[in-house]
Amino acid sequence: MRRAVSVVLALVLALMLVSVGAVGAKAPGTGDRTGDMELVLNFGAFADPPIEFSDVTWIGTITFGEGEDEVVYGMAFFLTPGKPHPVKPLPVVTHWTEDWAVYELDTFDYGFTGPVLTTFDPGEPVLWGHDSGMTHWKNFTWTGNGHVSGAESPFEEWMGSRTHATGDFGVDFVEGTSWAAGTLRFN
């Protein structure tokens, strides 16, 4: 009887060590599957006729993890082909659809002249997908849902995941300034 209990306890201990090893194998800073975004608006996305880089709407960074595990990546949101941004008086709620991509920060290069994106050389994405949602102009918030359609190291395990984005923003059309802050969660 003692021998049987010892074998069972040894198996339970082995299974616990295997499961702890699998959890520890995740890339640093990406284990919690939520990124904090800080973005600026490319006012060139509203140019008529379109200008260079007018397909990039929002650009900035996304940060995964905290403290020593914090990892910062570049991020950009793009107009979905065939779905231009309407240039008309804004209603209380607007709907949007877009593509997004996450890049290694050391390859992510962009620049603005005033409020218009004039250089954009991000490198190859390590994570990308598509989402759609709505903007609430009354309280300056946005929310959306989507999915991951491509993932490279260290995000391979997120391939096919669903996403949920939410945040708030501010835009000063007179000064040509903007900001957005939010989270992007991968389920």
Side-chain angles (χ1 to χ4, degrees):
M1 178 72 169
R2 283 184 164 178
R3 185 172 177 97
V5 170
S6 296
V7 169
V8 169
L9 288 175
L11 286 172
V12 168
L13 180 61
L15 287 172
M16 286 174 46
L17 290 174
V18 167
S19 65
V20 168
V23 169
K26 291 182 181 177
T30 61
D32 68 1
R33 291 184 172 243
T34 300
D36 295 319
M37 299 179 288
E38 293 183 20
L39 307 164
V40 294
L41 180 66
N42 172 22
F43 279 76
F46 302 96
D48 190 21
I51 58 174
E52 189 172 22
F53 308 122
S54 63
D55 62 327
V56 179
T57 53
W58 292 92
I59 192 165
T61 61
I62 184 167
T63 304
F64 295 100
E66 294 180 19
E68 292 180 16
D69 289 334
E70 183 177 279
V71 181
V72 180
Y73 292 87
M75 184 166 200
F77 290 85
F78 305 89
L79 289 174
T80 301
K83 300 243 181 192
H85 280 293
V87 180
K88 59 183 179 181
L90 294 173
V92 174
V93 175
T94 56
H95 297 273
W96 43 263
T97 181
E98 63 194 358
D99 295 322
W100 53 266
V102 173
Y103 305 88
E104 293 285 347
L105 194 59
D106 61 351
T107 65
F108 192 66
D109 185 35
Y110 67 93
F112 281 85
T113 299
V116 176
L117 185 67
T118 53
T119 60
F120 182 60
D121 186 16
E124 292 297 318
V126 293
L127 188 64
W128 59 97
H130 180 81
D131 64 356
S132 60
M134 65 180 83
T135 300
H136 299 273
W137 288 92
K138 186 174 181 180
N139 57 5
F140 294 97
T141 60
W142 49 270
T143 186
N145 294 302
H147 65 276
V148 175
S149 52
E152 302 290 332
S153 178
F155 299 103
E156 303 99 333
E157 67 186 54
W158 296 8
M159 180 63 190
S161 295
R162 292 178 190 227
T163 62
H164 177 71
T166 186
D168 55 358
F169 68 97
V171 178
D172 185 333
F173 290 103
V174 175
E175 295 292 323
T177 58
S178 68
W179 62 270
T183 59
L184 181 60
R185 187 179 72 236
F186 299 84
N187 297 328

